[in-house]
Amino acid sequence: MTQAANATALQSAPITLFGAGPGFGLPEVSPYVTKTIVQLKMAGLAYDFEGAMPSDSPKGQVPFIEDSGRRIADSTFIRGHVEATYGVDLDAGLAPAERAQAWAIERMIENQLGWTAAWFRFFDEANFEKGPAHWFDWAPQEMRPKLKADLLDQVAINLKAVGVGRHTPDEIVELGTRSLWALSTLLGDKAFLMGDKATSVDAIAFATLAQILTPWFDSPLRRRCEGFANLVAYVDRMMARFFPDFAWTAALPPQMAA
């Protein structure tokens, strides 16, 4: 019996996954929710999806899940719960050194590359207005300017805390490009980062690269990423495998589709 089949057999009810939902030319707005979706699919586990606000989460962020009455927040701890509860090893077949390498790659992506991408999502005015600003479409018109300003203030604090927000836009592009180069070099001509089988690190690598490459937004980092042909092909391959019904390259905003 495969790991996925064993996990399915142990599952008595679908997991409820809470996230942001599709948008911006992506099957899921949050790269961390995308990471969890891909890892649940890798594990062969059934899940129901519900939209949620970060304030609904035990840790003030998405994703979080509910499984047998228990809520677990943060994609890394969700993975740990899934592996421990359902007997799954998303890195099966990797040697200890390879597992260490996968963890180091994941930390580079989540703690550096993802933040360089976020800067251009939030602090390029055109990108912000056609992207995150729409999170407040539900609010009365007179409330929206403050809600947007508060969001930008919080993102700026986070970006400065991780260091990315202390640099100029050109420097941020260079930092992001170094990580893109590293990923491209590590991937080489392999199908997946660690070989011919998708493992845990591919979930966050794919999610973050798709966030950069979505045609919904323009940025110098996206154009740099488009220069790494193997990364573009990798995202296409992962999208086709894990989101086969999603129209990836066709997901253009109206002004780009015209």
Side-chain angles (χ1 to χ4, degrees):
M1 182 178 289
T2 66
Q3 280 196 91
N6 183 60
T8 302
L10 290 172
Q11 190 176 29
S12 58
I15 291 168
T16 301
L17 170 63
F18 297 89
F24 311 152
L26 296 162
E28 162 59 47
V29 168
S30 165
Y32 301 103
V33 178
T34 304
K35 169 188 172 183
T36 294
I37 290 172
V38 171
Q39 291 183 344
L40 288 173
K41 290 182 177 184
M42 286 178 176
L45 294 170
Y47 67 92
D48 296 323
F49 182 88
E50 289 190 17
M53 298 291 288
S55 56
D56 299 327
S57 168
K59 294 187 177 180
Q61 62 185 19
V62 292
F64 62 100
I65 64 169
E66 187 168 297
D67 189 19
S68 301
R70 182 182 172 196
R71 285 195 167 188
I72 301 98
D74 188 279
S75 61
T76 299
F77 289 101
I78 292 170
R79 173 197 169 183
H81 168 81
V82 164
E83 291 185 315
T85 303
Y86 297 101
V88 175
D89 180 359
L90 296 179
D91 288 340
L94 297 187
E98 292 173 317
R99 290 173 184 265
Q101 183 184 34
W103 176 250
I105 295 169
E106 184 172 317
R107 293 301 92 216
M108 176 187 72
I109 294 168
E110 293 194 356
N111 295 343
Q112 196 260 11
L113 179 60
W115 287 109
T116 65
W119 193 95
F120 292 99
R121 181 70 47 87
F122 287 92
F123 294 101
D124 178 295
E125 185 176 356
N127 284 339
F128 180 75
E129 288 302 323
K130 65 185 176 183
H134 286 288
W135 294 345
F136 305 112
D137 286 351
W138 56 269
Q141 188 68 40
E142 64 273 14
M143 292 177 58
R144 294 179 192 177
K146 185 176 188 310
L147 290 169
K148 293 177 186 179
D150 289 347
L151 172 63
L152 289 173
D153 285 347
Q154 186 57 56
V155 174
I157 290 169
N158 290 339
L159 282 165
K160 283 192 174 181
V162 298
V164 170
R166 301 176 186 275
H167 306 303
T168 68
D170 286 346
E171 289 171 335
I172 293 170
V173 172
E174 291 307 311
L175 288 174
T177 302
R178 290 191 71 173
S179 290
L180 292 172
W181 168 82
L183 284 175
S184 176
T185 302
L186 289 165
L187 178 63
D189 60 0
K190 302 190 298 294
F192 305 103
L193 279 167
M194 305 309 297
D196 59 3
K197 176 186 172 186
T199 58
S200 65
V201 69
D202 290 294
I204 188 58
F206 156 68
T208 302
L209 291 169
Q211 291 276 325
I212 295 170
L213 286 168
T214 174
W216 196 273
F217 301 107
D218 186 33
S219 75
L221 190 61
R222 188 190 103 188
R223 293 190 290 277
R224 293 286 185 93
C225 192
E226 288 170 341
F228 294 99
N230 64 339
L231 296 184
V232 175
Y234 169 77
V235 172
D236 290 346
R237 185 161 55 249
M238 289 286 290
M239 191 72 74
R241 177 167 179 170
F242 291 100
F243 298 94
D245 299 326
F246 186 76
W248 167 227
T249 55
L252 298 173
Q255 67 270 28
M256 295 180 69

